[in-house]
Amino acid sequence: MSQKSKIRQAKHEAQEEKQAKKVIAWIFGVLVVLAIACIIAVMMS
């Protein structure tokens, strides 16, 4: 494998890891919002 190819692959892997962390953060955020909504719904009923 050439040096350029190795560098490109490393950049691609770093970008994928960054994107995966962002997706996980969004998922946790949505779960927190849903939990708060459920708590409010239970308190109002």
Side-chain angles (χ1 to χ4, degrees):
M1 205 184 278
S2 71
Q3 194 67 17
K4 271 188 178 181
S5 184
K6 288 180 183 178
I7 292 171
R8 191 179 309 128
Q9 183 179 5
K11 284 183 180 180
H12 182 68
E13 287 176 1
Q15 186 179 5
E16 281 187 340
E17 185 176 344
K18 185 178 176 182
Q19 189 175 3
K21 286 181 181 180
K22 189 183 288 188
V23 169
I24 291 171
W26 271 100
I27 290 171
F28 278 120
V30 169
L31 288 175
V32 168
V33 169
L34 288 174
I36 292 171
C38 286
I39 290 170
I40 291 172
V42 167
M43 291 177 112
M44 295 186 110
S45 62

